[in-house]
Structure formats: C-alpha cells, structure tokens
Amino acid sequence: MEIAIVDTSSEVGRRVLEYLFPGVDQAAYDDFGVLPSIVSIEAFILADDYRAKAKRLQAVFETPGAGLLIHPWLGPMSVILEEPARISFSSRELRMVRISARFKRRGVSFGSLSAGGFSALLSALSSRIGATSSLIAAVRSNSVAASVRRSSRIATSTLSSLQTPRGSVSAVSTMRAGLAASAPETPAALDMVADGNGGPASGDRGTSRRIRYRGAKAARRRKASQKSACCFPIGS
C-alpha cells in the first residue's frame, strides 16, 4: 500500500547494559552487540477514498509478522511494527489521513526459525543441560567418596594407635581386622552399610560376638588377677 512519507528518522547503536553499584562512582558496562535499527516515519494519505485506505492501512498494521517497507532514502527493508502505530484524522484537513509509526528492522527471530531449526536448538540446549547435570553428579559423587575414604583412614589410624592393655590384645586385633574388612570405600558401599545390607551380615555379627566374648573374658581375667593380688599374703 502506498503512503507519502514526509519525515523519517533512524535509531542506531549498540546494545549496552549498565551496572551501578552502591559506593562506586564508576559504572560497569556489558556490550551485547549491535542494536536493531529502529525506523520512525511520519506519513499521510491524500485521496478521495482516504477512509477506505485508512482501514486498509489498519489491516496492514494488524497483520502478524514482518512486512516490506520501501524507505524513500534507504530503500526496501524488512521491518516489524515495534509499537502501536497512530492513524489521525482532522476536521481541518479534509480527505487526509496522517500516520505515525515506529518499525524495527527485522533480524533473526524465533518466528523465522523453521520447525527443524527450533527442534535442533531445543535438542542442543537439552544436551548441554544434561552434560552439566552429569558433571555436577560426578563431582558430588567424587566428593562423597573422598569423605568416606578419609573417615575410614582416620578410624583405622586411631584404632592402630591405641595402646592395648594387658589381656585385650586379641580383642583389639580382631577389631582392627574387622574394621579393615568392613570399611566402605565408596558412597554406594557406605549406603549399603547404613541400610544394613553391606557385606556378609552373618559374618559381621559373628565377628562382633567374638569381640564381645573375648573382651568379657579378658575383663574376668583382670578381675581375677586383682583379687589374687589383694589376697596375697604379706609375709610371703
């Protein structure tokens, strides 16, 4: 549709984001690339059927998607209506319609992507998110495994440094052997031990019973030796 463009202007530049911080005089900026050009026009229609042409122009403005604008100085360009246009009538200007509109020169948009291109974009985003999730899970698993191994080393080192009293050597040795055999080395093994499913359960219970039995036997021996010392004749 033909309209007479009398004035036009263009806004050009770059997409710059400004950051302001409390207590800091200097601002920080991020440059996100070239700003899409914005073209503003002032035009009119002068004709006997100006009302019919105004309705046709309204239908053009309400059509979705991009359109072709023949700029009187810059030539043809693909544009999209950035904000509502204005169509004006006046009793002082019969047979005339005035138009004010702002257009944005169209670049690549989601509306211009084909179905296959949009699906490929979503697939790439999904794969990137999946890779990030896997990396986080791996780091977390390695951290838990390192913590489990460190706790096992501390427990083993503490038990090894114990000064075993007389009569309890056998019990402490059994405790050391049981700890070395049952200490979890991985998070999965730790979960199994916490759930009561780790290792041969019957063997663990047997080891625990042997430790308790030998500890009690050693305690009885110490008590018997203390009684003998108390009742030993002084003159002998």
mmCIF file with all atom_site columns, all heavy atoms in Angstrom, residues 56-75:
data_model
loop_
_atom_site.group_PDB
_atom_site.id
_atom_site.type_symbol
_atom_site.label_atom_id
_atom_site.label_alt_id
_atom_site.label_comp_id
_atom_site.label_asym_id
_atom_site.label_entity_id
_atom_site.label_seq_id
_atom_site.pdbx_PDB_ins_code
_atom_site.Cartn_x
_atom_site.Cartn_y
_atom_site.Cartn_z
_atom_site.occupancy
_atom_site.B_iso_or_equiv
_atom_site.pdbx_formal_charge
_atom_site.auth_seq_id
_atom_site.auth_comp_id
_atom_site.auth_asym_id
_atom_site.auth_atom_id
_atom_site.pdbx_PDB_model_num
ATOM 1   N N   . ARG A 1 56 ? -7.672 -0.008  5.213  1.00 0.00 ? 56 ARG A N   1
ATOM 2   C CA  . ARG A 1 56 ? -6.722 -0.968  4.652  1.00 0.00 ? 56 ARG A CA  1
ATOM 3   C C   . ARG A 1 56 ? -5.379 -0.882  5.365  1.00 0.00 ? 56 ARG A C   1
ATOM 4   O O   . ARG A 1 56 ? -4.730 -1.901  5.651  1.00 0.00 ? 56 ARG A O   1
ATOM 5   C CB  . ARG A 1 56 ? -6.549 -0.722  3.169  1.00 0.00 ? 56 ARG A CB  1
ATOM 6   C CG  . ARG A 1 56 ? -7.744 -1.125  2.313  1.00 0.00 ? 56 ARG A CG  1
ATOM 7   C CD  . ARG A 1 56 ? -7.558 -0.682  0.881  1.00 0.00 ? 56 ARG A CD  1
ATOM 8   N NE  . ARG A 1 56 ? -6.282 -1.150  0.348  1.00 0.00 ? 56 ARG A NE  1
ATOM 9   C CZ  . ARG A 1 56 ? -5.734 -0.658  -0.777 1.00 0.00 ? 56 ARG A CZ  1
ATOM 10  N NH1 . ARG A 1 56 ? -6.357 0.311   -1.452 1.00 0.00 ? 56 ARG A NH1 1
ATOM 11  N NH2 . ARG A 1 56 ? -4.592 -1.143  -1.215 1.00 0.00 ? 56 ARG A NH2 1
ATOM 12  N N   . LEU A 1 57 ? -4.943 0.350   5.646  1.00 0.00 ? 57 LEU A N   1
ATOM 13  C CA  . LEU A 1 57 ? -3.668 0.525   6.347  1.00 0.00 ? 57 LEU A CA  1
ATOM 14  C C   . LEU A 1 57 ? -3.747 -0.056  7.754  1.00 0.00 ? 57 LEU A C   1
ATOM 15  O O   . LEU A 1 57 ? -2.784 -0.658  8.252  1.00 0.00 ? 57 LEU A O   1
ATOM 16  C CB  . LEU A 1 57 ? -3.298 1.999   6.390  1.00 0.00 ? 57 LEU A CB  1
ATOM 17  C CG  . LEU A 1 57 ? -1.939 2.334   7.000  1.00 0.00 ? 57 LEU A CG  1
ATOM 18  C CD1 . LEU A 1 57 ? -0.815 1.692   6.209  1.00 0.00 ? 57 LEU A CD1 1
ATOM 19  C CD2 . LEU A 1 57 ? -1.746 3.849   7.073  1.00 0.00 ? 57 LEU A CD2 1
ATOM 20  N N   . GLN A 1 58 ? -4.877 0.089   8.424  1.00 0.00 ? 58 GLN A N   1
ATOM 21  C CA  . GLN A 1 58 ? -5.057 -0.502  9.751  1.00 0.00 ? 58 GLN A CA  1
ATOM 22  C C   . GLN A 1 58 ? -4.930 -2.022  9.683  1.00 0.00 ? 58 GLN A C   1
ATOM 23  O O   . GLN A 1 58 ? -4.304 -2.640  10.551 1.00 0.00 ? 58 GLN A O   1
ATOM 24  C CB  . GLN A 1 58 ? -6.417 -0.111  10.316 1.00 0.00 ? 58 GLN A CB  1
ATOM 25  C CG  . GLN A 1 58 ? -6.707 -0.733  11.676 1.00 0.00 ? 58 GLN A CG  1
ATOM 26  C CD  . GLN A 1 58 ? -8.066 -0.342  12.216 1.00 0.00 ? 58 GLN A CD  1
ATOM 27  O OE1 . GLN A 1 58 ? -8.704 0.594   11.709 1.00 0.00 ? 58 GLN A OE1 1
ATOM 28  N NE2 . GLN A 1 58 ? -8.519 -1.048  13.240 1.00 0.00 ? 58 GLN A NE2 1
ATOM 29  N N   . ALA A 1 59 ? -5.519 -2.627  8.647  1.00 0.00 ? 59 ALA A N   1
ATOM 30  C CA  . ALA A 1 59 ? -5.407 -4.081  8.486  1.00 0.00 ? 59 ALA A CA  1
ATOM 31  C C   . ALA A 1 59 ? -3.962 -4.513  8.265  1.00 0.00 ? 59 ALA A C   1
ATOM 32  O O   . ALA A 1 59 ? -3.521 -5.558  8.760  1.00 0.00 ? 59 ALA A O   1
ATOM 33  C CB  . ALA A 1 59 ? -6.280 -4.544  7.324  1.00 0.00 ? 59 ALA A CB  1
ATOM 34  N N   . VAL A 1 60 ? -3.191 -3.687  7.514  1.00 0.00 ? 60 VAL A N   1
ATOM 35  C CA  . VAL A 1 60 ? -1.775 -3.994  7.302  1.00 0.00 ? 60 VAL A CA  1
ATOM 36  C C   . VAL A 1 60 ? -1.019 -3.947  8.623  1.00 0.00 ? 60 VAL A C   1
ATOM 37  O O   . VAL A 1 60 ? -0.190 -4.826  8.929  1.00 0.00 ? 60 VAL A O   1
ATOM 38  C CB  . VAL A 1 60 ? -1.168 -3.014  6.284  1.00 0.00 ? 60 VAL A CB  1
ATOM 39  C CG1 . VAL A 1 60 ? 0.353  -3.175  6.225  1.00 0.00 ? 60 VAL A CG1 1
ATOM 40  C CG2 . VAL A 1 60 ? -1.770 -3.233  4.906  1.00 0.00 ? 60 VAL A CG2 1
ATOM 41  N N   . PHE A 1 61 ? -1.281 -2.922  9.440  1.00 0.00 ? 61 PHE A N   1
ATOM 42  C CA  . PHE A 1 61 ? -0.598 -2.801  10.731 1.00 0.00 ? 61 PHE A CA  1
ATOM 43  C C   . PHE A 1 61 ? -0.956 -3.942  11.681 1.00 0.00 ? 61 PHE A C   1
ATOM 44  O O   . PHE A 1 61 ? -0.152 -4.316  12.534 1.00 0.00 ? 61 PHE A O   1
ATOM 45  C CB  . PHE A 1 61 ? -0.938 -1.461  11.389 1.00 0.00 ? 61 PHE A CB  1
ATOM 46  C CG  . PHE A 1 61 ? -0.254 -0.278  10.760 1.00 0.00 ? 61 PHE A CG  1
ATOM 47  C CD1 . PHE A 1 61 ? -0.848 0.978   10.780 1.00 0.00 ? 61 PHE A CD1 1
ATOM 48  C CD2 . PHE A 1 61 ? 0.976  -0.409  10.162 1.00 0.00 ? 61 PHE A CD2 1
ATOM 49  C CE1 . PHE A 1 61 ? -0.214 2.072   10.218 1.00 0.00 ? 61 PHE A CE1 1
ATOM 50  C CE2 . PHE A 1 61 ? 1.625  0.678   9.577  1.00 0.00 ? 61 PHE A CE2 1
ATOM 51  C CZ  . PHE A 1 61 ? 1.026  1.919   9.614  1.00 0.00 ? 61 PHE A CZ  1
ATOM 52  N N   . GLU A 1 62 ? -2.147 -4.504  11.539 1.00 0.00 ? 62 GLU A N   1
ATOM 53  C CA  . GLU A 1 62 ? -2.591 -5.575  12.432 1.00 0.00 ? 62 GLU A CA  1
ATOM 54  C C   . GLU A 1 62 ? -2.210 -6.965  11.936 1.00 0.00 ? 62 GLU A C   1
ATOM 55  O O   . GLU A 1 62 ? -2.501 -7.954  12.596 1.00 0.00 ? 62 GLU A O   1
ATOM 56  C CB  . GLU A 1 62 ? -4.113 -5.485  12.611 1.00 0.00 ? 62 GLU A CB  1
ATOM 57  C CG  . GLU A 1 62 ? -4.555 -4.246  13.379 1.00 0.00 ? 62 GLU A CG  1
ATOM 58  C CD  . GLU A 1 62 ? -6.070 -4.104  13.437 1.00 0.00 ? 62 GLU A CD  1
ATOM 59  O OE1 . GLU A 1 62 ? -6.755 -4.860  12.705 1.00 0.00 ? 62 GLU A OE1 1
ATOM 60  O OE2 . GLU A 1 62 ? -6.560 -3.253  14.196 1.00 0.00 ? 62 GLU A OE2 1
ATOM 61  N N   . THR A 1 63 ? -1.581 -7.046  10.780 1.00 0.00 ? 63 THR A N   1
ATOM 62  C CA  . THR A 1 63 ? -1.157 -8.336  10.244 1.00 0.00 ? 63 THR A CA  1
ATOM 63  C C   . THR A 1 63 ? 0.070  -8.844  11.002 1.00 0.00 ? 63 THR A C   1
ATOM 64  O O   . THR A 1 63 ? 1.040  -8.091  11.182 1.00 0.00 ? 63 THR A O   1
ATOM 65  C CB  . THR A 1 63 ? -0.821 -8.218  8.747  1.00 0.00 ? 63 THR A CB  1
ATOM 66  O OG1 . THR A 1 63 ? -1.983 -7.740  8.052  1.00 0.00 ? 63 THR A OG1 1
ATOM 67  C CG2 . THR A 1 63 ? -0.398 -9.549  8.170  1.00 0.00 ? 63 THR A CG2 1
ATOM 68  N N   . PRO A 1 64 ? 0.077  -10.079 11.484 1.00 0.00 ? 64 PRO A N   1
ATOM 69  C CA  . PRO A 1 64 ? 1.247  -10.584 12.225 1.00 0.00 ? 64 PRO A CA  1
ATOM 70  C C   . PRO A 1 64 ? 2.451  -10.786 11.309 1.00 0.00 ? 64 PRO A C   1
ATOM 71  O O   . PRO A 1 64 ? 2.315  -10.983 10.102 1.00 0.00 ? 64 PRO A O   1
ATOM 72  C CB  . PRO A 1 64 ? 0.753  -11.917 12.802 1.00 0.00 ? 64 PRO A CB  1
ATOM 73  C CG  . PRO A 1 64 ? -0.340 -12.345 11.879 1.00 0.00 ? 64 PRO A CG  1
ATOM 74  C CD  . PRO A 1 64 ? -1.006 -11.089 11.409 1.00 0.00 ? 64 PRO A CD  1
ATOM 75  N N   . GLY A 1 65 ? 3.625  -10.752 11.926 1.00 0.00 ? 65 GLY A N   1
ATOM 76  C CA  . GLY A 1 65 ? 4.856  -10.998 11.183 1.00 0.00 ? 65 GLY A CA  1
ATOM 77  C C   . GLY A 1 65 ? 5.454  -9.739  10.612 1.00 0.00 ? 65 GLY A C   1
ATOM 78  O O   . GLY A 1 65 ? 5.011  -8.618  10.872 1.00 0.00 ? 65 GLY A O   1
ATOM 79  N N   . ALA A 1 66 ? 6.493  -9.937  9.816  1.00 0.00 ? 66 ALA A N   1
ATOM 80  C CA  . ALA A 1 66 ? 7.234  -8.815  9.229  1.00 0.00 ? 66 ALA A CA  1
ATOM 81  C C   . ALA A 1 66 ? 6.600  -8.379  7.922  1.00 0.00 ? 66 ALA A C   1
ATOM 82  O O   . ALA A 1 66 ? 5.832  -9.119  7.296  1.00 0.00 ? 66 ALA A O   1
ATOM 83  C CB  . ALA A 1 66 ? 8.689  -9.215  9.000  1.00 0.00 ? 66 ALA A CB  1
ATOM 84  N N   . GLY A 1 67 ? 6.927  -7.155  7.517  1.00 0.00 ? 67 GLY A N   1
ATOM 85  C CA  . GLY A 1 67 ? 6.433  -6.615  6.258  1.00 0.00 ? 67 GLY A CA  1
ATOM 86  C C   . GLY A 1 67 ? 7.543  -5.884  5.524  1.00 0.00 ? 67 GLY A C   1
ATOM 87  O O   . GLY A 1 67 ? 8.653  -5.699  6.050  1.00 0.00 ? 67 GLY A O   1
ATOM 88  N N   . LEU A 1 68 ? 7.251  -5.453  4.300  1.00 0.00 ? 68 LEU A N   1
ATOM 89  C CA  . LEU A 1 68 ? 8.228  -4.763  3.462  1.00 0.00 ? 68 LEU A CA  1
ATOM 90  C C   . LEU A 1 68 ? 7.934  -3.274  3.482  1.00 0.00 ? 68 LEU A C   1
ATOM 91  O O   . LEU A 1 68 ? 6.824  -2.839  3.163  1.00 0.00 ? 68 LEU A O   1
ATOM 92  C CB  . LEU A 1 68 ? 8.168  -5.281  2.025  1.00 0.00 ? 68 LEU A CB  1
ATOM 93  C CG  . LEU A 1 68 ? 9.150  -4.626  1.037  1.00 0.00 ? 68 LEU A CG  1
ATOM 94  C CD1 . LEU A 1 68 ? 10.597 -4.910  1.449  1.00 0.00 ? 68 LEU A CD1 1
ATOM 95  C CD2 . LEU A 1 68 ? 8.874  -5.117  -0.380 1.00 0.00 ? 68 LEU A CD2 1
ATOM 96  N N   . LEU A 1 69 ? 8.943  -2.494  3.888  1.00 0.00 ? 69 LEU A N   1
ATOM 97  C CA  . LEU A 1 69 ? 8.842  -1.036  3.891  1.00 0.00 ? 69 LEU A CA  1
ATOM 98  C C   . LEU A 1 69 ? 9.790  -0.484  2.839  1.00 0.00 ? 69 LEU A C   1
ATOM 99  O O   . LEU A 1 69 ? 10.981 -0.791  2.852  1.00 0.00 ? 69 LEU A O   1
ATOM 100 C CB  . LEU A 1 69 ? 9.200  -0.471  5.275  1.00 0.00 ? 69 LEU A CB  1
ATOM 101 C CG  . LEU A 1 69 ? 9.284  1.051   5.375  1.00 0.00 ? 69 LEU A CG  1
ATOM 102 C CD1 . LEU A 1 69 ? 7.911  1.691   5.155  1.00 0.00 ? 69 LEU A CD1 1
ATOM 103 C CD2 . LEU A 1 69 ? 9.859  1.478   6.741  1.00 0.00 ? 69 LEU A CD2 1
ATOM 104 N N   . ILE A 1 70 ? 9.246  0.314   1.928  1.00 0.00 ? 70 ILE A N   1
ATOM 105 C CA  . ILE A 1 70 ? 10.072 0.982   0.908  1.00 0.00 ? 70 ILE A CA  1
ATOM 106 C C   . ILE A 1 70 ? 10.464 2.341   1.460  1.00 0.00 ? 70 ILE A C   1
ATOM 107 O O   . ILE A 1 70 ? 9.680  3.295   1.435  1.00 0.00 ? 70 ILE A O   1
ATOM 108 C CB  . ILE A 1 70 ? 9.337  1.114   -0.435 1.00 0.00 ? 70 ILE A CB  1
ATOM 109 C CG1 . ILE A 1 70 ? 8.784  -0.241  -0.883 1.00 0.00 ? 70 ILE A CG1 1
ATOM 110 C CG2 . ILE A 1 70 ? 10.268 1.696   -1.487 1.00 0.00 ? 70 ILE A CG2 1
ATOM 111 C CD1 . ILE A 1 70 ? 9.832  -1.286  -1.115 1.00 0.00 ? 70 ILE A CD1 1
ATOM 112 N N   . HIS A 1 71 ? 11.667 2.415   1.981  1.00 0.00 ? 71 HIS A N   1
ATOM 113 C CA  . HIS A 1 71 ? 12.147 3.671   2.567  1.00 0.00 ? 71 HIS A CA  1
ATOM 114 C C   . HIS A 1 71 ? 12.540 4.613   1.439  1.00 0.00 ? 71 HIS A C   1
ATOM 115 O O   . HIS A 1 71 ? 13.244 4.216   0.501  1.00 0.00 ? 71 HIS A O   1
ATOM 116 C CB  . HIS A 1 71 ? 13.350 3.397   3.464  1.00 0.00 ? 71 HIS A CB  1
ATOM 117 C CG  . HIS A 1 71 ? 13.663 4.490   4.407  1.00 0.00 ? 71 HIS A CG  1
ATOM 118 N ND1 . HIS A 1 71 ? 14.302 5.645   4.014  1.00 0.00 ? 71 HIS A ND1 1
ATOM 119 C CD2 . HIS A 1 71 ? 13.426 4.617   5.744  1.00 0.00 ? 71 HIS A CD2 1
ATOM 120 C CE1 . HIS A 1 71 ? 14.468 6.432   5.065  1.00 0.00 ? 71 HIS A CE1 1
ATOM 121 N NE2 . HIS A 1 71 ? 13.938 5.831   6.123  1.00 0.00 ? 71 HIS A NE2 1
ATOM 122 N N   . PRO A 1 72 ? 12.073 5.894   1.500  1.00 0.00 ? 72 PRO A N   1
ATOM 123 C CA  . PRO A 1 72 ? 12.381 6.802   0.380  1.00 0.00 ? 72 PRO A CA  1
ATOM 124 C C   . PRO A 1 72 ? 13.866 7.123   0.229  1.00 0.00 ? 72 PRO A C   1
ATOM 125 O O   . PRO A 1 72 ? 14.300 7.546   -0.849 1.00 0.00 ? 72 PRO A O   1
ATOM 126 C CB  . PRO A 1 72 ? 11.563 8.055   0.713  1.00 0.00 ? 72 PRO A CB  1
ATOM 127 C CG  . PRO A 1 72 ? 11.280 7.969   2.171  1.00 0.00 ? 72 PRO A CG  1
ATOM 128 C CD  . PRO A 1 72 ? 11.223 6.529   2.503  1.00 0.00 ? 72 PRO A CD  1
ATOM 129 N N   . TRP A 1 73 ? 14.666 6.929   1.261  1.00 0.00 ? 73 TRP A N   1
ATOM 130 C CA  . TRP A 1 73 ? 16.093 7.221   1.178  1.00 0.00 ? 73 TRP A CA  1
ATOM 131 C C   . TRP A 1 73 ? 16.968 5.965   1.313  1.00 0.00 ? 73 TRP A C   1
ATOM 132 O O   . TRP A 1 73 ? 18.013 5.879   0.683  1.00 0.00 ? 73 TRP A O   1
ATOM 133 C CB  . TRP A 1 73 ? 16.501 8.223   2.275  1.00 0.00 ? 73 TRP A CB  1
ATOM 134 C CG  . TRP A 1 73 ? 16.017 9.608   2.017  1.00 0.00 ? 73 TRP A CG  1
ATOM 135 C CD1 . TRP A 1 73 ? 16.634 10.578  1.257  1.00 0.00 ? 73 TRP A CD1 1
ATOM 136 C CD2 . TRP A 1 73 ? 14.812 10.178  2.498  1.00 0.00 ? 73 TRP A CD2 1
ATOM 137 N NE1 . TRP A 1 73 ? 15.890 11.722  1.244  1.00 0.00 ? 73 TRP A NE1 1
ATOM 138 C CE2 . TRP A 1 73 ? 14.747 11.508  1.995  1.00 0.00 ? 73 TRP A CE2 1
ATOM 139 C CE3 . TRP A 1 73 ? 13.757 9.738   3.290  1.00 0.00 ? 73 TRP A CE3 1
ATOM 140 C CZ2 . TRP A 1 73 ? 13.708 12.373  2.273  1.00 0.00 ? 73 TRP A CZ2 1
ATOM 141 C CZ3 . TRP A 1 73 ? 12.709 10.589  3.572  1.00 0.00 ? 73 TRP A CZ3 1
ATOM 142 C CH2 . TRP A 1 73 ? 12.691 11.886  3.071  1.00 0.00 ? 73 TRP A CH2 1
ATOM 143 N N   . LEU A 1 74 ? 16.556 5.035   2.154  1.00 0.00 ? 74 LEU A N   1
ATOM 144 C CA  . LEU A 1 74 ? 17.378 3.844   2.433  1.00 0.00 ? 74 LEU A CA  1
ATOM 145 C C   . LEU A 1 74 ? 16.970 2.622   1.620  1.00 0.00 ? 74 LEU A C   1
ATOM 146 O O   . LEU A 1 74 ? 17.649 1.605   1.668  1.00 0.00 ? 74 LEU A O   1
ATOM 147 C CB  . LEU A 1 74 ? 17.312 3.502   3.934  1.00 0.00 ? 74 LEU A CB  1
ATOM 148 C CG  . LEU A 1 74 ? 17.766 4.615   4.887  1.00 0.00 ? 74 LEU A CG  1
ATOM 149 C CD1 . LEU A 1 74 ? 17.635 4.163   6.330  1.00 0.00 ? 74 LEU A CD1 1
ATOM 150 C CD2 . LEU A 1 74 ? 19.198 5.041   4.584  1.00 0.00 ? 74 LEU A CD2 1
ATOM 151 N N   . GLY A 1 75 ? 15.877 2.706   0.892  1.00 0.00 ? 75 GLY A N   1
ATOM 152 C CA  . GLY A 1 75 ? 15.462 1.601   0.047  1.00 0.00 ? 75 GLY A CA  1
ATOM 153 C C   . GLY A 1 75 ? 14.610 0.577   0.797  1.00 0.00 ? 75 GLY A C   1
ATOM 154 O O   . GLY A 1 75 ? 14.210 0.787   1.956  1.00 0.00 ? 75 GLY A O   1
#
